[in-house]
Amino acid sequence: MSSSTEIESLATGEYKYGFITDIESDSAPPGLNEDIIRFISAKKSEPTWLLEWRLKAYRRWCTMVEPNWAHVKYPAIDYQAIVYYSAPKSTANGPKSLDEVDPELLATYEKLGIPLHERARLAGVAVDAVFDSVSVATTFKSKLAEAGVIFCSFSEAVREHPDLVRKYLGSVVPYADNYFAALNSAVFTDGSFCYIPKGVRCPMELSTYFRINAANTGQFERTLIVCEDNAHVSYLEGCTAPQRDENQLHAAVVELVALENAEIKYSTVQNWYPGDKEGKGGIYNFVTKRGACRGKKSKISWTQVETGSAITWKYPSVILQGDDSVGEFYSVAVTNNRQQADTGTKMIHLGKNTKSTVIAKGIAAGRSNSSYRGLIKMKRGAVGARNYTQCDSLLIGSRCGAHTFPYIEVEGNAGQVEHEASTSKVSDEQLFYCRQRGLDPEQAVSLIVGGFCREVFRKLPMEFAVEAQKLLSVSLEGSIG
Amino acid sequence: MLNIVDLHAEVGGKPILKGLSLSVGAGEVHAIMGPNGSGKSTLANVLSGREGYEVTGGSIQFLGVDMLTLKPEERAALGLFLAFQYPVEIPGVNNTYFLKAALNAVRKHRGEEEIDAVDFLALMKAKLAALSMNELLINRGVNEGFSGGEKKRNEILQMTILEPKLCILDEIDSGLDIDALRYVADGVNMQRDGKRSMIMVTHYQRLLDYIVPDYVHVLTDGKIVHSGGPQLAKDLESQGYGWLKAEEE
Ligand SMILES: Nc1ncnc2c1ncn2[C@@H]1O[C@H](COP(=O)(O)OP(=O)(O)OP(=O)(O)O)[C@@H](O)[C@H]1O
Ligand SMILES: [Mg+2]
């Protein structure tokens, strides 16, 4: 269907909500079709262009096949069994109180020092209490407004700043980019929007934690961050507490745009529920994250600590378009028990003298599998481009696996690519050495692994780094028999 | 302090210690010498509870406690310290951080309070100075890229900070230059306070010139075949182990 006929069909109001009884209802029935998408869009009172964009994405998605090249295995996902819209968050199937929550999960909260009132929310229990964070968020907002920074939910951005959203949405990750991005584009329900105007250094680190309603952004989250010329922002996503969600499939999209001399630092600590020891009930995390260094001398830096999810499929990437722009990727991915992670990055060098650095640390324990997959691409015009990739795997025990899949495509002799890789084990000697000095095996492992990850942790904002270290020890608990 | 009776132990199914007995009293320094492969390091590993070293007979009592039921970290907390023949590298783990974690683990076991960062740093500085050690080393990864001699000195630094009751020094003199040997020996001698006991494994008399032992034992084929005073080491230095074997027969 061409876009003009789409608009026509919309304009003539031919579509019906069909089986969806009424727009007042709180959730859509399971399944995905154009009516559902219209329902979502109407629910959010979106402008026509956005609905149209969603529909295009949906139609494209229908023609696409789910990728299967990643080094992960999971049963087929029934996309028609998923509920694509529900507000407020349905808690019908969730635990009714903390008493019903997996005691191991609660023990983990305890160890991580999560405040009591936060635990229920994280565990997916329906809670009515108003969190302290709401008042924190309000003071926070006024400070940002003073600086001219826009930081709000995606829905709010669509309402309040439609031109900005329209200008940048899909400009880095087009709706047809890949299967999961197309799905997200069709059905995303909320997320974050952040805009830093020219010359502004965002006065504080932005964290989704402080954004009101952040808890209910759902499984198809959409984030868009735009930094104008000479602007600067550091953005923190996620939290260290293992979050439970009854939605098994998560397919988020994150787009970053850095204009001339702008800098975006995006840090993630991802700790979705990995499932029990057998991997049951864990989250599938299929994320598309990409940044565009559009302007000269711009810089985008991804730092991630991935410990959660049953399956992770994620490649934060940078398109280095502006001359002298810089892309960085620092990653720690931990898998334990039955977890599977296929993660890495893509650095696409287009501009002259563009530079990228990739430091990826994969840690596998239990029966888990951790893969690094990285693409370094240098187009003909990327004269003087340089990449340095270092990719290290650490194995704990003998039943886990670590794999490295580096792809390098350099056109002509555009630039210079350097790749180093290593695989090591937490050795018996190291463990014994630590234990002889009085450390118990768990302390020993977390110390050794922390040392292995040091280069990446150093890139995290201070408190995040401390939390990440703690998180690491909790994630690897029981990994030493 | 330590009482080993008729100890038998295997590594990988192969018997290495074959009826070893040794008694170490408080404040005593015992030197253990013996040919390569006779089981000296094995004894050190067995005493500290290393996995893979299976005790098949005999007993080890340390401070009146049956050691064989204890985990390595429990033995360490009781006050057993092993200076390794080959200290392992732990990349990326800051030396200071490591030592502080170790000290706190041991203190916790003893029911003492954790030491705070400021006090610890002061303690570390004092010990470094006492051992004439380069301060830069303590901010590197544990043994990471250390020279052989630096690794050995780092072991002694750890020992002086953890203040154990019994120290097993496995060839602490190997790989040291002449000055370093003196610093290490001085460090060890400073630890001799009449209460702390030591077992020193060495091949050479020159270490024993600096650290004069109370007893010298010869370990051959998994057993202590000869014991004596400091003079024994001198005899061994000049005559080798051959005459002992002959004597035995
Ligand atoms: N894992 C193992 N499997 C089989 N044999 C082993 C193992 N570890 C040690 N051994 C053997 O045990 C014997 C004693 O070794 P040990 O390291 O205790 O000797 P040592 O007296 O310390 O020698 P050196 O003076 O060379 O340090 C050697 O024959 C050695 O090959
Ligand atoms: Mg030895």
Side-chain angles (χ1 to χ4, degrees):
Chain A
M1 201 192 290
S2 77
S3 68
S4 65
T5 47
E6 275 167 45
I7 297 167
E8 217 169 284
S9 75
L10 283 171
T12 54
E14 251 174 33
Y15 70 90
K16 293 267 182 296
Y17 285 112
F19 52 80
I20 296 171
T21 38
D22 84 82
I23 184 106
E24 299 309 316
S25 113
D26 268 347
S27 63
L32 187 52
N33 53 52
E34 296 201 5
D35 284 341
I36 297 278
I37 291 166
R38 292 193 170 95
F39 174 79
I40 294 172
S41 192
K43 263 291 186 192
K44 307 183 83 58
S45 319
E46 286 176 355
T48 317
W49 64 264
L50 189 50
L51 170 61
E52 195 191 315
W53 191 76
R54 286 176 181 276
L55 288 170
K56 275 196 288 192
Y58 171 68
R59 285 167 197 146
R60 227 0 225 284
W61 179 75
C62 290
T63 69
M64 297 167 100
V65 284
E66 200 172 325
N68 61 3
W69 43 261
H71 195 78
V72 295
K73 281 197 207 105
Y74 55 93
I77 298 168
D78 181 358
Y79 291 92
Q80 296 303 335
I82 294 171
V83 173
Y84 289 89
Y85 184 85
S86 62
K89 192 176 177 195
S90 152
T91 48
N93 304 322
K96 302 279 177 294
S97 76
L98 276 176
D99 299 340
E100 290 179 25
V101 173
D102 180 0
E104 283 204 26
L105 189 64
L106 294 178
T108 307
Y109 290 158
E110 184 82 49
K111 283 176 209 148
L112 286 169
I114 308 290
L116 270 174
H117 66 270
E118 276 286 286
R119 295 183 194 178
R121 180 181 69 80
L122 291 164
V125 177
V127 271
D128 305 316
V130 177
F131 301 123
D132 310 346
S133 59
V134 174
S135 56
V136 177
T138 316
T139 39
F140 187 75
K141 272 207 137 169
S142 67
K143 214 170 158 188
L144 288 176
E146 246 170 70
V149 172
I150 302 169
F151 181 42
C152 60
S153 74
F154 207 93
S155 310
E156 191 182 328
V158 170
R159 283 194 308 272
E160 309 291 330
H161 314 281
D163 296 342
L164 280 175
V165 175
R166 192 170 186 180
K167 183 167 175 193
Y168 291 107
L169 177 69
S171 75
V172 186
V173 180
Y175 63 81
D177 188 78
N178 68 71
Y179 189 81
F180 298 113
L183 179 63
N184 175 288
S185 303
V187 302
F188 73 88
T189 40
D190 216 328
S192 306
F193 176 77
C194 168
Y195 175 82
I196 320 287
K198 268 190 184 137
V200 172
R201 255 190 105 84
C202 188
M204 62 191 76
E205 261 151 1
L206 297 183
S207 156
T208 42
Y209 184 80
F210 288 116
R211 218 199 56 227
I212 304 172
N213 290 334
N216 293 340
T217 44
Q219 58 192 133
F220 302 102
E221 203 172 337
R222 189 102 201 171
T223 303
L224 175 58
I225 299 176
V226 179
C227 249
E228 290 243 31
D229 295 354
N230 301 308
H232 177 287
V233 69
S234 167
Y235 187 91
L236 313 182
E237 179 204 16
C239 69
T240 50
Q243 268 181 287
R244 255 195 101 109
D245 194 314
E246 71 222 57
N247 302 311
Q248 188 165 45
L249 174 66
H250 280 244
V253 171
V254 177
E255 296 180 277
L256 312 181
V257 180
L259 301 183
E260 202 166 312
N261 208 26
E263 181 174 345
I264 303 176
K265 186 172 160 54
Y266 192 106
S267 312
T268 308
V269 171
Q270 183 275 112
N271 191 17
W272 288 107
Y273 186 55
D276 62 14
K277 287 210 163 56
E278 297 308 314
K280 242 175 57 196
I283 304 280
Y284 297 173
N285 193 27
F286 301 138
V287 191
T288 307
K289 287 185 164 176
R290 193 175 304 152
C293 282
R294 295 239 163 101
K296 277 185 202 159
K297 293 195 171 157
S298 53
K299 178 172 174 185
I300 289 179
S301 169
W302 298 102
T303 306
Q304 60 171 26
V305 176
E306 299 278 326
T307 63
S309 299
I311 299 177
T312 303
W313 179 98
K314 178 177 175 184
Y315 316 91
S317 307
V318 184
I319 300 169
L320 296 150
Q321 212 173 327
D323 291 348
D324 301 299
S325 58
V326 175
E328 294 176 336
F329 175 74
Y330 299 100
S331 163
V332 166
V334 184
T335 53
N336 197 358
N337 297 320
R338 302 266 178 175
Q339 282 177 278
Q340 308 171 62
D342 194 304
T343 182
T345 186
K346 285 189 264 183
M347 293 289 173
I348 315 292
H349 293 255
L350 305 175
K352 292 191 190 81
N353 300 316
T354 45
K355 247 184 19 202
S356 62
T357 305
V358 175
I359 310 275
K361 305 273 182 181
I363 298 143
R367 290 166 176 268
S368 68
N369 253 306
S370 171
S371 302
Y372 169 81
R373 190 181 300 278
L375 169 67
I376 307 299
K377 195 173 193 160
M378 292 181 177
K379 300 296 263 186
R380 202 166 293 280
V383 181
R386 280 207 320 237
N387 161 267
Y388 173 73
T389 298
Q390 183 190 326
C391 173
D392 301 318
S393 313
L394 184 70
L395 303 177
I396 303 174
S398 55
R399 290 177 307 176
C400 51
H403 317 269
T404 307
F405 305 98
Y407 306 91
I408 298 171
E409 296 171 18
V410 179
E411 289 182 7
N413 42 12
Q416 188 186 326
V417 179
E418 208 180 318
H419 183 97
E420 282 176 26
S422 77
T423 300
S424 51
K425 284 191 106 170
V426 171
S427 71
D428 291 346
E429 277 90 12
Q430 288 172 329
L431 269 180
F432 177 61
Y433 190 82
C434 294
R435 294 181 73 181
Q436 207 304 303
R437 298 299 183 251
L439 302 170
D440 67 41
E442 277 168 4
Q443 278 178 295
V445 168
S446 102
L447 201 79
I448 294 166
V449 172
F452 174 75
C453 300
R454 213 162 90 113
E455 288 155 282
V456 175
F457 283 176
R458 261 208 300 248
K459 296 290 171 184
L460 286 172
M462 187 57 189
E463 338 83 71
F464 237 35
V466 174
E467 283 180 40
Q469 172 75 46
K470 229 196 277 178
L471 173 61
L472 212 66
S473 11
V474 173
S475 310
L476 290 170
E477 240 166 52
S479 61
I480 289 291
Chain B
M1 170 92 48
L2 178 72
N3 211 10
I4 307 172
V5 180
D6 195 27
L7 185 65
H8 290 257
E10 299 183 353
V11 186
K14 182 182 163 201
I16 310 286
L17 299 183
K18 303 165 183 172
L20 185 145
S21 298
L22 177 68
S23 238
V24 178
E28 294 174 0
V29 174
H30 290 243
I32 295 188
M33 307 185 79
N36 293 133
S38 57
K40 303 181 297 297
S41 295
T42 302
L43 173 64
N45 282 320
V46 169
L47 286 176
S48 39
R50 182 162 189 173
E51 253 165 62
Y53 289 74
E54 205 192 332
V55 174
T56 51
S59 66
I60 306 172
Q61 294 257 325
F62 177 51
L63 300 166
V65 181
D66 174 11
M67 286 282 260
L68 294 178
T69 58
L70 300 183
K71 296 177 187 146
E73 59 272 26
E74 292 168 334
R75 301 182 193 202
L78 267 184
L80 182 86
F81 182 92
L82 170 59
F84 286 78
Q85 183 173 358
Y86 304 108
V88 69
E89 300 193 7
I90 312 179
V93 177
N94 180 280
N95 221 353
T96 308
Y97 182 80
F98 175 76
L99 247 178
K100 181 163 161 261
L103 180 59
N104 279 331
V106 170
R107 285 172 76 115
K108 199 169 148 196
H109 249 275
R110 292 187 202 141
E112 293 169 19
E113 250 177 66
E114 295 205 345
I115 188 164
D116 72 51
V118 179
D119 291 347
F120 181 75
L121 221 64
L123 175 70
M124 188 91 160
K125 285 238 159 94
K127 302 289 185 189
L128 277 169
L131 292 171
S132 309
M133 253 179 93
N134 184 347
E135 284 202 21
L136 293 177
L137 283 182
I138 62 165
N139 292 319
R140 305 229 313 247
V142 176
N143 295 323
E144 194 179 357
F146 284 24
S147 74
E150 286 168 345
K151 283 182 183 167
K152 294 300 176 82
R153 288 170 76 176
N154 196 31
E155 295 289 286
I156 298 301
L157 172 70
Q158 296 185 11
M159 180 177 92
T160 58
I161 284 179
L162 294 176
E163 302 192 311
K165 297 197 170 70
L166 173 67
C167 310
I168 306 167
L169 311 175
D170 194 354
E171 296 197 24
I172 197 67
D173 52 336
S174 67
L176 293 182
D177 65 39
I178 297 162
D179 289 338
L181 180 65
R182 177 162 307 146
Y183 291 133
V184 163
D186 287 349
V188 173
N189 282 329
M190 276 189 286
Q191 297 292 299
R192 285 177 86 164
D193 57 0
K195 281 180 269 171
R196 184 168 293 125
S197 312
M198 315 232 174
I199 296 176
M200 276 194 310
V201 173
T202 184
H203 287 293
Y204 305 105
Q205 171 61 35
R206 53 165 200 195
L207 178 68
L208 306 182
D209 289 341
Y210 289 113
I211 310 169
V212 181
D214 300 302
Y215 301 94
V216 176
H217 309 276
V218 178
L219 180 61
T220 310
D221 195 22
K223 271 192 289 225
I224 292 195
V225 296
H226 203 90
S227 299
Q231 183 57 37
L232 175 57
K234 292 185 180 143
D235 297 343
L236 289 171
E237 179 98 336
S238 56
Q239 301 171 45
Y241 294 108
W243 62 277
L244 281 177
K245 276 187 196 137
E247 208 170 63
E248 216 179 327
E249 277 152 19

